[in-house]
Amino acid sequence: MSNLRWKVITIVAVFIIFFAVGVYPLIALRYGIHSPGWLVDKALKLGLDLKGGVHLVLRVETDTALRLVTDQESERLRDELKTRNIPFTSIDVSDPVHFRVVGIPPEQDAAFRQVASEVQTNFDRSAGTNGTYTFTMKPNIQVTMREEAVVQARQTIERRVNELGVTEPSIAQQGTNGDQILVQLPGVTDVERAKEIIRSTGLLELKIVERVAPTKEELMVNGQVPPGMDIVPGAGVSGDTSSVFYLVKKVAAVTGQDLRNARPSVDENNRPAVSFTLSNDGGRKFGKVSGENIGRQLAIILDRRVQSAPTLESRINSEGRISGSFTPEEVQNLSLILRSGALPAEMTYLEERVIGPTLGADSIRAGVMASLVGLALVIVFMLIYYRLSGVNAVVALIFNLVILLGLMAYVGAVMTLPGIAGFVLTMGIGVDSNVLIFERIKEELEAQRGVRASINAGFARVFWTLVDTHIAALISVAFLFQFGTGPIRGFAVTLFFGLLSNLFTSIFVSKTLFELALAKRHQVATLSI
């Protein structure tokens, strides 16, 4: 009786705890109750298909990332050749993985090869013909950089989505080449803002301005952009909305990778702006560039457009500000994008779906109805087939579902439409476990063993069978979660917790209920089963 008392106390405590965590918050929110807040906040989260929101599929244009590296290497080689006074005619980037150096004099060939040796870490150099060399990015480097671009893009999107405050977003790589990213944002209503923040490259560059002109053609030499330079459009002086063009170096002195933080602020005219702080390394680079170019303009370039071009009046080490014709909302978005980091490559949208809350509500109603109907049919079957022992199975099943909801709410899991399917399947598994136990008990009773002995033997002999089947199912669930996308993961999570709770209820709770029913009966001749 002492052991039975502790078993009952354990079961009641477990039920109260998981009911409070998993069921009470749902009931409270249903009737507009918001206290206690710490408990209501634990309410089970709903996925995209139940709550509504945005479903996006984006492709990472990995060629952009390769082109950026090729441009940087070619410009680094250009600067090194000028520093060493090695003459050349031109350096051209023909595609994302090739660039060509033309016009190296024969007497400078050895010096050129020595300078180019640093580039050959990532690029293969051709033998050279008539002073012309072609550099090709190594195949293994291409593969690695494409994979890194996709991973970095996914991580950047995750940071941006987290800044948006979306609850339980789903962000995963997919596609045959692994270059697609699936983004699901439950509860998001401002679709355009979400798309703009996700897709914006967010590439910040600080470059010294060489020349400014009202037209692009005035900055060209013989119809060509000067070597090692770039022409970027942007706004004119403060208060002037007309566009002008800036001639700047192709390679930036400081980039967004050197940022430590970005935050909304105001400029000297009390207009919305974005202030940023550089890292220690970025501050050193910025201090050196600003100190050497006092009196010249500094172009603050965001996504290939000059936002402002203030004049450097003194050396600047770590602080800066981006001003322009921003609205307060644009400043908030820009700060978010800069804090989360720049995307390594451009993104294109392959698919966009907006799932309305109405569809989600219909899915919830259909799922709840399916669960209730399934539960009702199970209860009717168990009561008819196993008589009063069926009550035992029904109580254990209800305990199972309450513990399942509590576990999911506690760990912050998300309930999806496939998750509801896992919920219904958990009911089937729970009943199946009780059927195995009950049938074994019936076999023991038919062998003329006593009621108590039959119950003990039934649970003991089925125990390892249940453990074996549940472990096999958990292995399958692990693979579903590891390799599945959002909906499949939702199913796997629900089934995982359902299997764990079912082991507890079908063995511990169910047997305790039998013991409780027989506790005050000294002589038990029959069992209603």
Side-chain angles (χ1 to χ4, degrees):
M1 290 301 295
S2 177
N3 288 335
L4 180 59
R5 187 179 300 111
W6 280 110
K7 287 181 180 180
V8 172
I9 291 174
T10 301
I11 291 173
V12 172
V14 168
F15 180 82
I16 292 174
I17 291 171
F18 285 106
F19 184 89
V21 175
V23 180
Y24 170 77
L26 297 178
I27 298 174
L29 292 177
R30 177 71 176 82
Y31 293 99
I33 302 172
H34 298 283
S35 62
W38 61 271
L39 194 57
V40 175
D41 289 341
K42 281 288 185 182
L44 186 64
K45 306 297 188 299
L46 300 180
L48 180 71
D49 46 5
L50 299 181
K51 191 176 183 180
V54 183
H55 170 100
L56 304 170
V57 179
L58 305 94
R59 172 181 286 134
V60 183
E61 301 296 341
T62 53
D63 280 352
T64 309
L66 300 185
R67 180 68 182 242
L68 179 62
V69 173
T70 303
D71 283 340
Q72 290 175 342
E73 291 290 351
S74 64
E75 292 306 315
R76 189 177 295 115
L77 181 59
R78 184 194 303 276
D79 291 341
E80 192 65 24
L81 292 176
K82 288 182 178 179
T83 302
R84 301 283 186 91
N85 294 319
I86 299 175
F88 62 94
T89 303
S90 64
I91 298 179
D92 303 315
V93 178
S94 55
D95 59 54
V97 296
H98 294 90
F99 71 90
R100 188 177 63 166
V101 181
V102 180
I104 300 296
E107 63 275 11
Q108 296 287 347
D109 185 74
F112 170 77
R113 289 173 182 270
Q114 182 180 359
V115 171
S117 61
E118 295 183 8
V119 180
Q120 291 176 231
T121 304
N122 295 329
F123 287 79
D124 292 321
R125 189 194 72 223
S126 65
T129 305
N130 298 325
T132 299
Y133 294 86
T134 301
F135 291 83
T136 305
M137 188 179 293
K138 296 178 179 179
N140 63 314
I141 299 297
Q142 293 184 39
V143 172
T144 301
M145 293 195 61
R146 289 184 191 276
E147 292 175 350
E148 288 178 350
V150 178
V151 171
Q152 186 180 341
R154 176 178 58 78
Q155 293 172 343
T156 302
I157 291 174
E158 285 178 350
R159 288 193 294 270
R160 293 182 181 181
V161 169
N162 290 335
E163 290 268 1
L164 278 172
V166 180
T167 303
E168 295 297 334
S170 175
I171 303 169
Q173 294 175 223
Q174 64 176 28
T176 54
N177 297 324
D179 60 350
Q180 297 178 16
I181 298 178
L182 169 68
V183 181
Q184 293 182 330
L185 308 177
V188 170
T189 55
D190 192 345
V191 181
E192 291 305 317
R193 181 185 179 222
K195 286 174 58 180
E196 185 60 32
I197 288 176
I198 290 172
R199 187 180 181 182
S200 176
T201 306
L203 179 60
L204 176 68
E205 298 173 300
L206 306 182
K207 300 181 178 181
I208 299 299
V209 177
E210 303 294 333
R211 289 171 55 202
V212 184
T215 64
K216 189 175 182 178
E217 288 71 23
E218 294 182 42
L219 299 176
M220 294 183 176
V221 178
N222 298 324
Q224 301 286 331
V225 178
M229 295 293 174
D230 201 2
I231 298 176
V232 185
V237 296
S238 179
D240 184 5
T241 58
S242 60
S243 294
V244 295
F245 293 87
Y246 296 82
L247 182 68
V248 295
K249 279 191 173 183
K250 184 169 287 188
V251 178
V254 178
T255 67
Q257 293 180 347
D258 300 308
L259 277 183
R260 174 182 293 167
N261 191 22
R263 60 196 179 279
S265 64
V266 293
D267 61 13
E268 62 276 2
N269 297 314
N270 206 33
R271 295 183 304 180
V274 177
S275 295
F276 59 85
T277 305
L278 296 172
S279 63
N280 292 334
D281 186 48
R284 284 193 296 270
K285 290 191 290 185
F286 195 29
K288 181 176 183 298
V289 172
S290 60
E292 293 173 351
N293 293 277
I294 293 176
R296 301 181 65 183
Q297 283 182 285
L298 175 72
I300 301 177
I301 305 170
L302 181 67
D303 289 344
R304 298 285 303 161
R305 180 173 178 82
V306 177
Q307 299 295 335
S308 58
T311 301
L312 292 170
E313 297 178 354
S314 62
R315 179 188 176 94
I316 302 174
N317 289 322
S318 59
E319 298 284 339
R321 186 177 62 217
I322 306 173
S323 58
S325 301
F326 297 127
T327 65
E329 183 181 1
E330 288 173 339
V331 164
Q332 291 286 348
N333 294 345
L334 178 56
S335 301
L336 186 158
I337 291 168
L338 291 177
R339 283 197 304 271
S340 61
L343 287 172
E346 295 178 355
M347 312 281 285
T348 55
Y349 282 105
L350 301 180
E351 182 182 350
E352 173 190 344
R353 288 204 313 270
V354 178
I355 300 175
T358 303
L359 178 60
D362 292 340
S363 299
I364 293 174
R365 280 194 294 271
V368 170
M369 182 59 67
S371 301
L372 292 177
V373 170
L375 181 60
L377 291 175
V378 165
I379 291 174
V380 170
F381 170 79
M382 296 301 288
L383 292 178
I384 292 175
Y385 194 81
Y386 291 110
R387 306 180 202 177
L388 289 179
S389 294
V391 176
N392 183 315
V394 171
V395 173
L397 178 60
I398 293 173
F399 265 70
N400 187 2
L401 300 181
V402 169
I403 293 173
L404 169 58
L405 287 174
L407 283 172
M408 292 186 66
Y410 178 75
V411 302
V414 180
M415 178 61 79
T416 62
L417 198 56
I420 293 178
F423 196 82
V424 176
L425 181 58
T426 297
M427 291 192 296
I429 295 174
V431 172
D432 179 61
S433 300
N434 280 282
V435 167
L436 286 174
I437 295 170
F438 289 0
E439 289 301 313
R440 187 66 192 184
I441 293 174
K442 288 170 69 175
E443 290 178 5
E444 297 295 329
L445 289 172
E446 290 172 359
Q448 302 301 315
R449 300 187 65 178
V451 172
R452 297 181 190 276
S454 297
I455 291 174
N456 290 331
F459 278 94
R461 296 184 179 182
V462 173
F463 175 78
W464 288 112
T465 302
L466 293 180
V467 171
D468 179 58
T469 55
H470 281 64
I471 289 177
L474 286 172
I475 292 172
S476 300
V477 166
F479 278 98
L480 286 175
F481 185 84
Q482 178 65 32
F483 300 106
T485 55
I488 296 176
R489 283 189 166 192
F491 174 79
V493 168
T494 306
L495 193 55
F496 172 78
F497 289 121
L499 289 167
L500 293 182
S501 63
N502 184 60
L503 270 179
F504 173 76
T505 56
S506 62
I507 296 173
F508 187 80
V509 174
S510 184
K511 187 178 182 183
T512 302
L513 291 175
F514 272 121
E515 292 176 352
L516 191 63
L518 302 178
K520 295 181 180 181
R521 298 164 60 185
H522 297 291
Q523 297 295 327
V524 184
T526 60
L527 181 66
S528 178
I529 195 168

